[in-house]
Amino acid sequence: MDFTSTVIIPLLFGSLGIFALFRLLQWVRMRAYLQEAVVVITGASSGLGKECAKAFHAAGSKLVLCGRDSEKLKELVQELCAVKNHRKNTHEPHTVVFDLSDTKTVVNAAEEILKALGHVDILINNAGISFRGTIVDTGLDVDKKVMETNYFGPIALTKALLPSMIKRRQGHIVAISSVQGKISIPFRSAYAASKHATQAFFDCLRAEVEQYDIEVTVVSPGYIQTNLSLNAVTADGSRYGVMDKTTAEGQTAAEVARVVLNAVGQKKKEVLVAGLTPCLAVYLRNLCPRLFFTLMASRAKKEKKAKGS
Ligand SMILES: NC(=O)C1=CN([C@@H]2O[C@H](COP(=O)(O)OP(=O)(O)OC[C@H]3O[C@@H](n4cnc5c(N)ncnc54)[C@H](OP(=O)(O)O)[C@@H]3O)[C@@H](O)[C@H]2O)C=CC1
Ligand SMILES: CCCCCCCCCCCCCCCC(=O)OCC(=O)COP(=O)(O)O
């Protein structure tokens, strides 16, 4: 008998077996973690939030769906309840209507959630708006609106729910950021700033709450096929109303929602879920910033020329 058949092959199969067992145990633990967990999802009325709602509902979580449009949320509840899942015990979701850009209503919403469900296991800060415009033409009110929706609203909700998580020494906070939380591209100033702030805040939070066994996951997606570009605000505060090619050709929201579900299940600290170019751009920004800045400046000139201004 040679060395390959007596040592290498048994070692290989043994390692594969241990790996498969490890993955199975991880999967079982994840399913148990998500089953019956109280999961709050902001921006659940459309896009990524809606797909996250479907994924967590199917996993047996107790959902609290948040948004500004109660009709859309009710329709989603009906859609979720119509899906029969014979393998899992699913729950009828609750809905809570509030505007994230109004921090007073955010605090009231947190109280309403705690009163109705007693506690929150997983908070998914997903809601957000994007922006299109030059810095020189954009009023400060527009910068504030984007920051309030994407940054101050989510951190207000997080702060309002945090004490009860600390008390229970249990909880998981997810921030849906963006590749633009790691790199800044021209004509996205308010959006990129809000996402960089999000990344920074939740990185600080992760460090501060680990001692209470609270998890923090920052998810940074690339383009996703949603209404984000349609709903983006422009320099004068009006709705952009265009489905950008990059958005239309992005990943599906269902794909990204699966990544969010797995990231939560595996208690990942952060996930970059994007194509090769955005990922390379993130590395380039860190490894060779001068080249990155030159590329961005040339991109800005080109885009400006294309718009004929
Ligand atoms: N699409 C993409 O290419 C990418 C998206 N992301 C991020 O994903 C997240 C989800 O966006 P996406 O699904 O793409 O876009 P959508 O426009 O489809 O969804 C945005 C959601 O946010 C909610 N929302 C917006 N403003 C407010 C507010 N003031 N108060 C409460 N809720 C609000 C909307 O609810 P309502 O019904 O009330 O309008 C809606 O449910 C965002 O944080 C976005 O930055 C990250 C990377 C890429
Ligand atoms: C060594 C080779 C490196 C090549 C890198 C070249 C740099 C090219 C720039 C690429 C920029 C990618 C930007 C990706 C942005 C993105 O994915 O954003 C996600 C969003 O949040 C989308 O929001 P938006 O409102 O902008 O649609």
Side-chain angles (χ1 to χ4, degrees), residues 66-282:
C66 308
R68 289 174 298 182
D69 186 330
S70 73
E71 279 311 308
K72 278 195 204 161
L73 293 178
K74 274 186 206 152
E75 278 169 27
L76 177 58
V77 171
Q78 280 175 358
E79 194 181 329
L80 294 175
C81 291
V83 181
K84 292 274 163 278
N85 187 337
H86 299 294
R87 281 188 299 164
K88 279 240 151 49
N89 183 22
T90 53
H91 307 272
E92 180 169 337
H94 286 251
T95 60
V96 180
V97 179
F98 62 98
D99 188 329
L100 273 166
S101 63
D102 178 352
T103 35
K104 231 194 214 150
T105 69
V106 176
V107 174
N108 292 342
E111 280 170 12
E112 189 183 330
I113 293 167
L114 289 175
K115 210 168 155 194
L117 289 124
H119 69 273
V120 170
D121 292 298
I122 301 165
L123 164 63
I124 304 182
N125 286 302
N126 161 75
I129 49 166
S130 193
F131 162 80
R132 304 281 185 276
T134 60
I135 290 172
V136 70
D137 294 324
T138 303
L140 201 58
D141 54 330
V142 173
D143 294 282
K144 283 185 179 167
K145 181 184 167 146
V146 176
M147 283 305 280
E148 273 157 9
T149 308
N150 293 1
Y151 178 69
F152 286 108
I155 75 159
L157 185 59
T158 300
K159 281 167 182 263
L161 294 174
L162 195 57
S164 96
M165 288 186 175
I166 291 177
K167 214 167 168 184
R168 295 178 70 227
R169 294 188 73 93
Q170 192 179 318
H172 194 142
I173 296 160
V174 180
I176 304 297
S177 179
S178 160
V179 164
Q180 292 182 52
K182 293 179 182 289
I183 58 168
S184 301
I185 62 176
F187 312 118
R188 297 288 185 281
S189 55
Y191 181 66
S194 72
K195 294 298 185 180
H196 274 69
T198 298
Q199 174 86 50
F201 180 90
F202 287 96
D203 281 352
C204 291
L205 181 69
R206 183 188 301 109
E208 290 183 26
V209 299
E210 199 182 271
Q211 60 192 302
Y212 306 113
D213 302 322
I214 294 168
E215 305 288 334
V216 175
T217 303
V218 177
V219 181
S220 304
Y223 296 107
I224 316 170
Q225 295 167 25
T226 68
N227 292 334
L228 190 75
S229 74
L230 279 170
N231 293 333
V233 280
T234 63
D236 63 8
S238 61
R239 187 171 178 263
Y240 177 59
V242 178
M243 174 55 80
D244 280 348
K245 195 164 175 271
T246 45
T247 314
E249 292 175 353
Q251 315 166 82
T252 67
E255 276 166 352
V256 180
R258 264 196 305 278
V259 173
V260 174
L261 183 88
N262 286 329
V264 171
Q266 293 167 23
K267 303 188 175 177
K268 289 195 176 161
K269 310 242 179 263
E270 70 168 351
V271 199
L272 182 63
V273 42
L276 185 64
T277 309
C279 289
L280 284 176
V282 172

Side-chain angles (χ1 to χ4, degrees), residues 38-50:
V38 175
V39 182
V40 176
I41 305 174
T42 67
S45 57
S46 72
L48 179 58
K50 190 172 180 175

